[in-house]
Amino acid sequence: MSEHLSDLVLDEVMAGGPQPPHLESCDTCNARVTRLRAHADGVRARPDFSRVRAHVLSEAARRPSRPAASWFSGWLLVPALATVAMVVLLRGPLSGDTPATGTLPVKPVLRVKGPPGVELLRLLDGQVNPVLREGDEVALRLRSGGRRYALVISVDVEGQVEALWPSGAARSGELDAEQPAPLFQVTRGDFAVHAIYSESPLSLDEVRDWVPMHGSECSGAPSEAACQEPAGLPSGAAHATVSLQVEAPR
Amino acid sequence: MSQGLSATELQELYDRYAPGMYRRAFALLQREADAWDAVQEACIRLLQSAAEFRREARPMTFIYRVTTNVCLNMLRSRALRDVAPEADGPEGTVDALASTECRDFLVKLARELDERGLTVATLYYLDGLSQEEIAQVLGLSRKTIVREVQRISVLARALGEPRGVRGGAG
C-alpha cells in the first residue's frame, strides 16, 4: 500500500471533505492536491464544462416532475406501521385533546387523541424532531385532529415551497389507514415543514401563497389559535409546523 | 425534478464533482469528447440514483463507481469500433505518461478479465486505491477485493505489467 493518500481521498478533500492529518505534513500529497486543484480549475474554465452542465440540467428538467422537497429522497415502504396508526387513529374530536407522546412504537389499538401536529421521527433512535444529520432516515408523523385531508410541504431558507405529502400531488390527500408511513432521507439544510389539515382538499398553489403570509403565525405549539384556526384558510382547517435543521453527515 | 435532486443541488454537485469525473474519464478514454460524454452520462446516472447517492457515507465512492462503470462501458463499446486515442489536450490529464501507460495496460487486461475484475483493476492501477478503498467504492467485502487483486496481479505479471503503472500520488 502506498504511504501517500489516494486520489479518492484527495478528491474528497477538494470537494470540501475533512483534511486528513497526513496532508499537513506530506509535501508529496500537498503537491498533488495543488496539481489536482489546478487541473480542476482548468476544467471548470472550459466551454465543455458549461455545455455539459447545461445539458445535464436540461435533462433533469425534462424528466417527469416529482415536486417533492429537496431533502426528500424517496418513499420507503412501511416499516413504521405505528406511524400509519397514528395518522389514522388521531382523527378524533378536537375538544379535550391532549398532546400525544412522541416515540415509536405506538400500539395501533391505542386511540391517541391530540391537537393537530407534525413531527419527524428519526428511525435510528426514535427521537422526535431532533437536529438531524445528512443521511438520517425520518418518518413523517401527522396528527390531523380529526380532519380528513392533509397537505404537507417543506420550505427551504430561500422560500422554495415543495410538496412532501402526498408525494407529487398538487392538492391535499385524504388520510387513509392503508397508507404507508412516509419515510424520508434528509439532506443538509434548514427547512420548515408545514402540515395544513382541512375538511376538504386544498390546492398546493393555495397553500404556497398562504405560507409566506401566515405560515410564521403558528409557532408549532398546537394549542395556539394561529395553529387551530389559521387566518386565511377555510373554516375548520388547522396548521402545524416544525423547523428542521440538517447538519453535515457524521 | 426526478429522484429527489433539485436543480440547485444538481448544479452544485456538478460543479463539485464534474472536474474529477472528467479527469478520470480522460485518463481512461484518452479522448476529450468521449470524456465529456462520460461525465454527462455519469451525471445522468447520479440524477437517476439520487436516493442511493444520498445514502453513501462517502459520496465520492459513488462518483468513482459510476464514472468507472460508464467509462469502461464506453471503452468496451469503443473497442468494437476501434477508435484511436487522440493527442492530449491542455487540460486532459494530470499524469499524462503514467495515465496513457496505465490505460493501455488496462485495455490489455480487459481482454482477459470479467466486468468486475476490470473495474477492480481500474481502481487499483489507474486510481491507485487501496484494497480497502476499492471495497468501499464497489460495496464489496475486503476479502473479495483481496482475492480479485491477487487474481489480477497474477494475470498482470503474465501480461508484462509495466513498472510503476499504479496511479495516484504514490
Side-chain angles (χ1 to χ4, degrees):
Chain A
M1 184 192 291
S2 168
E3 62 190 292
H4 297 295
L5 300 172
S6 67
D7 280 359
L8 175 71
V9 174
L10 299 181
D11 275 332
E12 285 175 327
V13 170
M14 290 197 304
Q19 294 249 347
H22 173 88
L23 200 54
E24 289 171 16
S25 57
C26 178
D27 291 342
T28 305
C29 288
N30 267 304
R32 184 152 184 87
V33 168
T34 303
R35 285 176 74 189
L36 293 175
R37 216 183 285 281
H39 182 269
D41 289 344
V43 170
R44 286 192 184 95
R46 301 178 79 176
D48 281 330
F49 182 80
S50 303
R51 177 184 62 77
V52 172
R53 177 169 59 185
H55 190 95
V56 170
L57 288 171
S58 71
E59 175 69 21
R62 197 182 59 76
R63 286 163 185 272
S65 172
R66 183 198 54 73
S70 52
W71 55 277
F72 171 91
S73 72
W75 293 88
L76 310 175
L77 291 178
V78 203
L81 184 60
T83 305
V84 181
M86 290 289 282
V87 169
V88 177
L89 293 174
L90 292 179
R91 286 199 211 162
L94 213 60
S95 59
D97 286 344
T98 54
T101 54
T103 54
L104 285 175
V106 175
K107 293 178 183 176
V109 295
L110 183 65
R111 187 174 178 85
V112 184
K113 297 177 182 178
V118 58
E119 291 174 336
L120 286 133
L121 183 144
R122 185 161 58 196
L123 297 186
L124 182 68
D125 55 10
Q127 278 197 49
V128 177
N129 302 336
V131 174
L132 295 164
R133 297 277 187 176
E134 186 169 3
D136 280 354
E137 289 183 336
V138 296
L140 179 64
R141 194 154 65 175
L142 307 178
R143 290 196 307 260
S144 73
R147 294 163 184 85
R148 188 172 171 187
Y149 294 92
L151 180 57
V152 186
I153 61 168
S154 77
V155 183
D156 65 17
V157 287
E158 293 169 350
Q160 188 178 347
V161 174
E162 292 179 288
L164 275 186
W165 191 89
S167 174
R171 57 199 298 113
S172 309
E174 185 171 4
L175 296 166
D176 183 340
E178 301 303 319
Q179 226 152 239
L183 304 185
F184 306 93
Q185 193 168 46
V186 296
T187 56
R188 208 179 310 183
D190 293 336
F191 306 88
V193 175
H194 297 271
I196 315 294
Y197 302 106
S198 54
E199 295 295 355
S200 56
L202 300 176
S203 74
L204 178 60
D205 288 341
E206 198 177 347
V207 170
R208 198 197 304 271
D209 293 340
W210 179 84
V211 164
M213 303 283 290
H214 301 285
S216 60
E217 292 169 7
C218 167
S219 69
S223 56
E224 280 185 15
C227 308
Q228 298 277 6
E229 293 176 22
L233 288 178
S235 172
H239 173 218
T241 184
V242 61
S243 295
L244 251 191
Q245 191 182 343
V246 183
E247 297 180 341
R250 287 176 185 86
Chain B
M1 196 66 55
S2 69
Q3 301 291 337
L5 283 180
S6 69
T8 308
E9 277 180 304
L10 185 60
Q11 188 163 325
E12 189 198 323
L13 292 175
Y14 179 87
D15 290 350
R16 189 185 305 170
Y17 294 121
M21 287 175 166
Y22 175 79
R23 187 190 76 235
R24 298 188 64 250
F26 189 89
L28 265 172
L29 300 170
Q30 303 276 304
R31 289 175 63 89
E32 283 187 38
D34 286 354
W36 283 115
D37 284 350
V39 171
Q40 185 172 305
E41 177 61 25
C43 287
I44 288 168
R45 292 200 190 180
L46 171 63
L47 183 68
Q48 291 167 336
S49 309
E52 186 191 340
F53 176 70
R54 290 183 196 286
R55 282 195 293 271
E56 290 286 354
R58 293 179 73 179
M60 193 61 76
T61 60
F62 182 96
I63 299 294
Y64 266 56
R65 181 168 65 247
V66 168
T67 310
T68 305
N69 289 342
V70 167
C71 290
L72 291 179
N73 285 343
M74 289 178 69
L75 212 51
R76 282 189 201 96
S77 147
R78 187 205 278 174
L80 298 174
R81 291 185 282 121
D82 196 23
V83 178
E86 67 187 8
D88 188 8
E91 306 291 347
T93 181
V94 174
D95 315 285
L97 181 61
S99 167
T100 304
E101 257 192 302
C102 188
R103 182 255 181 201
D104 291 347
F105 178 59
L106 286 170
V107 169
K108 267 194 205 175
L109 280 176
R111 298 187 195 114
E112 311 291 334
L113 290 172
D114 58 15
E115 191 173 334
R116 185 171 80 182
L118 185 58
T119 306
V120 171
T122 302
L123 296 169
Y124 186 72
Y125 288 109
L126 184 76
D127 298 302
L129 299 195
S130 68
Q131 295 175 4
E132 182 70 42
E133 287 174 323
I134 296 171
Q136 287 184 20
V137 168
L138 300 183
L140 297 171
S141 72
R142 170 88 192 272
K143 203 171 160 186
T144 303
I145 299 303
V146 169
R147 274 203 308 267
E148 281 284 358
V149 169
Q150 282 171 349
R151 182 171 72 96
I152 292 164
S153 298
V154 170
L155 184 61
R157 279 195 293 275
L159 290 173
E161 172 186 23
R163 258 177 85 83
V165 73
R166 287 191 69 193

